[in-house]
Amino acid sequence: MNILLQQPTIIAPNTVYHLKQYDILIQNGIITAIDSSLHNTDAKIVKAHNYYLSIGWLDVGTQVGEPGLEHREDLESVSKAAMAGGFTAIASFPNTRPAIHSRTEVNYLKHFSADRLIDIFPIGAVSKNCKGEEMAELYDMHDAGAVAFSDGKHSVQHILLLTKALQYVKAFDGLIINYPNQSNLASDGQMHEGAISTQLGLPGIPSIAEEMAIQRDLTLLEYTNAKLHFHNISTATSVEIIRAAKAKGLNVSASVAIMNLVLTDETLLDFDTNYKVLPPLRELSDVEALKNGLKEGVIDFITTHHTPLEVEAKAVEFPYASFGAIGLETAYALSNMHLGTEISQEQLVQWWAYHPRKRLGLAIPEISVGSLANLTLFDSNATWVYEEDSIQSKSKNSPFIGQTFRGKVVAVFNKGKWMSFL
Amino acid sequence: MPTIQELSTPHLLGIKYLSEDDIQLILETTDNFKEVLNRPIKKVPSLRDLTIANLFFENSTRTKLSFELAEKRLSADVINFAASSSSVSKGETLIDTVNNILAMKVDMVVMRHPAPGAAHFLAKNINANIINAGDGTHEHPTQALLDAYSIREKMGDLIGKKVVIVGDILHSRVALSNIFCLQKLGATVKVCGPPTLIPKYVTTLGVTVEHDIRKALAWCDVANLLRIQLERQTVKYFPSLREYALFYGVNKKMLDELDKKIVIMHPGPINRGVEVTSEVADSEHSIILSQVENGVAVRMAVLYLLATKRGK
């Protein structure tokens, strides 16, 4: 299949094409020509003069459901959801049944994505079954293609295990990802502890549950001199702690979930369980600090925090509902709408495509003649309504259904395949 | 006097969601029903076309009795459902349970449930008027209304009155509803108890905090002593009931030392000798039994007003 993209604005920093409009010819999955005007009678023509073109985006920490939780999501459905959201790759979390905790499960995911558009980069479990007790076979998983190690939604609480894991992966320059949460401080918490939780009579999750976990993990990081990423921080103080740790020279990075960047705990005033997520939605001052932290480079990238859940886990009384919301298909539009007009599309692409790959040590696709076409084509001005019927994910647990968004993915390209959403 | 003729809402989910006018209307209407309750024939036909389901997913004696009596005095048909939350959560969902009951053509639902927000959940998902009879640690609106009514009855008005709520504020729906209700009616509210039982952000509700019971009593016109809810505590918030009674319990000597006469309230059931000594509970300071009596009239008023709105 040959495709001729006519005149998209190319986002490819450090190239001559950057922020300019060119025709791009893709033949059999390879970029074969980039020029001011191209003609090819065999190619499907895509008029793209209103669109941006960047390398394909990557989401870190996606919950994929398969194996074992296919009633929520399977690899096929999560792939469709990812593509609709502009992602040509996901680095998936290991919270499946069984967990992704040995070579076998890593191979299962790699095998699935081998001949598909989407690249699935498995994040292997730090501990067997993500239970936080016994170290999983990290080296073997690394050898099989695991790109990092994390117990995913389960924060590693066992200090000795975390210390040993940080040390052990140094043999192959591995990265540990931890969701920072001191679980016994947040034990029965249902939402951010603050004025709103007080009004609603709901047990709170104090900000210090996250901040203490970060302090503790940074102490271990300094001791082990290893590499650590904090998955989805949510408080203003967390930003400051990480800023100081980076200034000190520690090899630490952090991400923030898109919902935590754009929403506050006030959304819970009506007990809507679709806003019940972890880390919890916090206060406006936290949201502002997270945005600033992102703009200043303290926070390295954004995640969709895609957490599919069946309706039975959400359409229940608030305290009985599970934490999480789907996010792949709405993430770009939210980032496009809520991060301020001073944020350029180039900056968004840095957060959605370049920074996550850099941190995971993955090869960064290029937009150049001769390169494999791993691309996302998107329209930053298109408005659209997020309809439940259009959701590609098997689960529909999103608080945004029915809302109008600005910014839409037009097409994705990877491994000789393309998917258009025109 | 209320300036409105009907409530602004089809449900009573919490005091938070009522206007001051709504509350005044309920209190005025309660006056009428209190008069009914003192007649030789204590029954009126107002709700004779309606069927009300009392769903109690959490233990209750007095609230359930009070609602049932109020419903019967209004001539409603009444059905009762009681289940421990654990047996329900293991099997049928709340929506299914309630829809099954509604399929029997029930018009209004009175529900007590251990989950904060459960009444909201029901109001969003089923077609009936919902009255929250206590949802976990969130709200217990009819208790706050009957407390406000009882204070008003005793003291004339709430504007400028000082009310201290003593005890387990952290786990108390009564405290939360009382704070909202008293403030909307113009009273000033303080909370008092061990720091572990006071929510960290409680002052965002516009209340002040005191840990010394004697100072709190000296400040107030009314002391509302909450039941110590040992059943809601997952960890130890204080070492022993003995120590609680020593440092937060109210006894006669404390009241005698005050240079004024304050009113003592308790939502019940009382742990005699813990929150309050028997001597105080049974004294002239106490309006505890008036609260119980007023509870029926307040609930009649709420049921009547919601039913009136329903009819339109």
Side-chain angles (χ1 to χ4, degrees):
Chain A
M1 182 91 182
N2 301 337
I3 300 155
L4 178 59
L5 300 178
Q6 288 183 328
Q7 300 294 306
T9 301
I10 297 171
I11 297 177
N14 306 318
T15 71
V16 294
Y17 313 118
H18 187 47
L19 299 181
K20 296 194 179 97
Q21 288 182 293
Y22 282 95
D23 282 2
I24 294 193
L25 183 63
I26 301 166
Q27 292 180 298
N28 300 319
I30 293 168
I31 299 171
T32 52
I34 305 176
D35 213 323
S36 50
S37 181
L38 291 168
H39 299 281
N40 186 300
T41 49
D42 299 335
K44 175 171 172 58
I45 308 268
V46 177
K47 293 189 192 319
H49 56 282
N50 285 329
Y51 306 150
Y52 286 99
L53 184 74
S54 73
I55 63 166
W57 304 342
L58 179 147
D59 184 43
V60 178
T62 321
Q63 294 287 357
V64 296
E66 185 179 344
L69 299 165
E70 291 87 353
H71 58 294
R72 292 177 176 165
E73 197 79 287
D74 58 29
L75 294 173
E76 200 69 56
S77 64
V78 79
S79 301
K80 284 182 184 162
M83 290 186 291
F87 298 92
T88 61
I90 55 175
S92 59
F93 260 172
N95 307 108
T96 49
R97 290 185 193 155
I100 310 304
H101 59 177
S102 76
R103 171 180 286 272
T104 310
E105 295 86 27
V106 171
N107 280 340
Y108 179 80
L109 295 181
K110 300 285 288 183
H111 182 257
F112 173 88
S113 70
D115 59 351
R116 284 178 166 78
L117 188 155
I118 197 94
D119 287 314
I120 298 181
F121 296 109
I123 294 170
V126 168
S127 66
K128 289 179 182 166
N129 293 308
C130 297
K131 279 190 167 169
E133 292 164 3
E134 205 181 334
M135 201 192 297
E137 291 183 343
L138 305 183
Y139 212 147
D140 201 25
M141 282 192 279
H142 164 74
D143 191 52
V147 295
F149 301 94
S150 173
D151 279 350
K153 66 179 181 179
H154 301 297
S155 178
V156 178
Q157 305 287 314
H158 190 315
I159 295 176
L160 191 59
L161 170 70
L162 186 58
T163 310
K164 295 303 172 198
L166 284 164
Q167 285 175 326
Y168 190 75
V169 298
K170 288 175 73 176
F172 49 88
D173 196 26
L175 174 70
I176 300 288
I177 300 176
N178 205 10
Y179 159 53
N181 182 37
Q182 186 75 41
S183 65
N184 52 0
L185 259 175
S187 55
D188 59 349
Q190 294 292 325
M191 63 173 295
H192 169 64
E193 182 188 66
I196 305 291
S197 70
T198 308
Q199 271 184 46
L200 296 178
L202 286 168
I205 301 171
S207 297
I208 57 162
E210 173 175 309
E211 293 149 6
M212 282 181 67
I214 290 176
Q215 296 275 24
R216 181 201 68 181
D217 291 2
L218 286 171
T219 306
L220 302 181
L221 179 66
E222 190 167 9
Y223 172 75
T224 55
N225 197 23
K227 265 166 67 175
L228 179 64
H229 175 77
F230 288 115
H231 177 69
N232 294 351
I233 64 168
S234 67
T235 82
T237 303
S238 295
V239 175
E240 290 321 304
I241 299 168
I242 292 167
R243 187 194 306 276
K246 283 190 166 182
K248 207 172 171 183
L250 296 185
N251 193 338
V252 63
S253 56
S255 51
V256 59
I258 186 69
M259 273 178 76
N260 293 90
L261 264 183
V262 303
L263 299 174
T264 68
D265 58 349
E266 292 192 15
T267 53
L268 288 158
L269 278 170
D270 198 27
F271 293 98
D272 184 342
T273 58
N274 281 319
Y275 292 103
K276 184 178 174 181
V277 293
L278 277 182
L281 302 177
R282 299 200 188 265
E283 295 170 26
L284 194 58
S285 54
D286 295 303
V287 168
E288 294 304 323
L290 290 167
K291 284 181 182 171
N292 288 333
L294 188 65
K295 290 168 190 171
E296 291 158 10
V298 177
I299 297 172
D300 299 79
F301 54 89
I302 318 171
T303 71
T304 72
H305 202 14
H306 183 77
T307 309
L309 290 165
E310 67 278 21
V311 64
E312 292 81 6
K314 280 296 194 181
V316 291
E317 301 90 307
F318 195 88
Y320 308 153
S322 303
F323 289 93
I326 54 170
L328 283 166
E329 296 167 65
T330 52
Y332 163 69
L334 287 168
S335 66
N336 186 45
M337 290 163 67
H338 292 287
L339 293 182
T341 46
E342 77 274 19
I343 294 303
S344 64
Q345 297 298 315
E346 177 190 347
Q347 187 59 68
L348 291 179
V349 167
Q350 288 287 350
W351 291 326
W352 286 122
Y354 287 94
H355 292 186
R357 283 190 175 85
K358 277 180 194 155
R359 188 54 177 161
L360 294 176
L362 295 170
I364 294 175
E366 286 179 18
I367 299 182
S368 61
V369 175
S371 298
L372 290 169
N374 182 344
L375 304 166
T376 298
L377 185 67
F378 58 104
D379 182 341
S380 64
N381 284 315
T383 56
W384 56 290
V385 179
Y386 184 50
E387 306 274 13
E388 184 164 346
D389 291 348
S390 72
I391 296 176
Q392 299 294 315
S393 172
K394 267 193 186 179
S395 293
K396 316 293 176 198
N397 53 312
S398 168
F400 302 114
I401 291 170
Q403 292 193 22
T404 301
F405 284 124
R406 183 168 46 77
K408 192 168 182 3
V409 172
V410 175
V412 286
F413 309 78
N414 193 19
K415 293 191 282 194
K417 301 176 180 7
W418 77 303
M419 176 71 78
S420 162
F421 305 101
L422 273 174
Chain B
M1 282 292 288
T3 53
I4 52 168
Q5 302 299 314
E6 66 170 50
L7 297 177
S8 63
T9 162
H11 309 289
L12 179 61
L13 303 180
I15 300 292
K16 228 187 345 276
Y17 314 101
L18 297 180
S19 66
E20 190 201 331
D21 278 343
D22 286 330
I23 297 172
Q24 292 290 6
L25 177 61
I26 294 169
L27 299 185
E28 298 291 334
T29 311
T30 302
D31 283 336
N32 300 335
F33 285 113
K34 184 141 186 196
E35 186 264 317
V36 168
L37 291 176
N38 286 306
R39 289 179 195 167
I41 296 169
K42 302 178 177 59
K43 198 160 175 169
V44 288
S46 315
L47 266 59
R48 69 183 166 204
D49 298 331
L50 297 184
T51 305
I52 302 175
N54 297 317
L55 311 184
F56 279 72
F57 294 91
E58 197 179 59
N59 290 336
S60 161
T61 307
R62 60 194 62 213
T63 303
K64 197 168 141 190
L65 282 175
S66 181
F67 266 111
E68 196 172 339
L69 196 56
E71 291 153 3
K72 288 182 170 165
R73 295 263 147 101
L74 290 166
S75 305
D77 290 324
V78 178
I79 57 170
N80 289 304
F81 175 90
S84 77
S85 58
S86 59
S87 68
V88 172
S89 66
K90 277 174 197 155
E92 198 171 46
T93 65
L94 177 61
I95 294 187
D96 287 332
T97 306
V98 174
N99 274 333
N100 271 295
I101 290 163
L102 289 183
M104 302 168 199
K105 309 290 181 213
V106 167
D107 304 295
M108 299 173 90
V109 171
V110 173
M111 184 174 76
R112 168 165 292 189
H113 196 284
H120 277 74
F121 175 70
L122 217 53
K124 271 190 259 180
N125 286 286
I126 67 165
N127 181 27
N129 305 81
I130 310 298
I131 297 161
N132 181 6
D135 59 335
T137 48
H138 179 220
E139 284 224 36
H140 189 357
T142 56
Q143 179 71 46
L145 290 166
L146 76 89
D147 288 344
Y149 185 85
S150 302
I151 297 172
R152 201 186 69 156
E153 190 179 55
K154 181 86 178 174
M155 311 190 80
D157 196 351
L158 279 118
I159 295 171
K161 294 293 181 300
K162 295 174 181 170
V163 181
V164 65
I165 305 173
V166 182
D168 182 355
I169 311 299
L170 185 66
H171 299 94
S172 177
R173 54 192 172 213
V174 176
L176 209 47
S177 286
N178 259 277
I179 290 168
F180 295 135
C181 191
L182 294 168
Q183 289 179 338
K184 285 187 189 204
L185 294 173
T188 308
V189 184
K190 191 186 279 297
V191 295
C192 177
T196 46
L197 291 176
I198 307 286
K200 179 170 165 61
Y201 295 96
V202 76
T203 56
T204 61
L205 300 175
V207 302
T208 51
V209 180
E210 175 61 65
H211 301 302
D212 182 334
I213 184 73
R214 286 167 201 278
K215 285 185 187 164
L217 293 175
W219 171 84
C220 75
D221 302 309
V222 178
N224 192 351
L225 314 176
L226 302 183
R227 178 179 166 76
I228 287 297
Q229 308 247 25
L230 285 171
E231 65 267 30
R232 274 187 222 284
Q233 300 183 1
T234 48
V235 296
K236 280 267 191 179
Y237 288 85
F238 56 90
S240 65
L241 283 176
R242 179 187 163 275
E243 187 163 300
Y244 183 87
L246 271 177
F247 292 93
Y248 297 97
V250 175
N251 59 41
K252 184 155 183 306
K253 185 163 173 284
M254 287 175 178
L255 298 185
D256 290 344
E257 282 168 10
L258 301 175
D259 55 7
K260 59 182 174 183
K261 200 166 165 186
I262 65 166
V263 173
I264 298 291
M265 305 175 73
H266 194 298
I270 307 173
N271 294 309
R272 283 176 182 260
V274 180
E275 301 101 33
V276 59
T277 60
S278 289
E279 207 177 1
V280 170
D282 302 331
S283 73
E284 54 181 353
H285 290 274
S286 161
I287 58 166
I288 295 172
L289 289 175
S290 308
Q291 289 176 265
V292 177
E293 184 189 344
N294 293 335
V296 178
V298 159
R299 288 176 177 117
M300 286 173 81
V302 167
L303 290 163
Y304 171 79
L305 289 168
L306 290 178
T308 312
K309 192 167 168 74
R310 178 189 176 82
K312 289 190 178 167

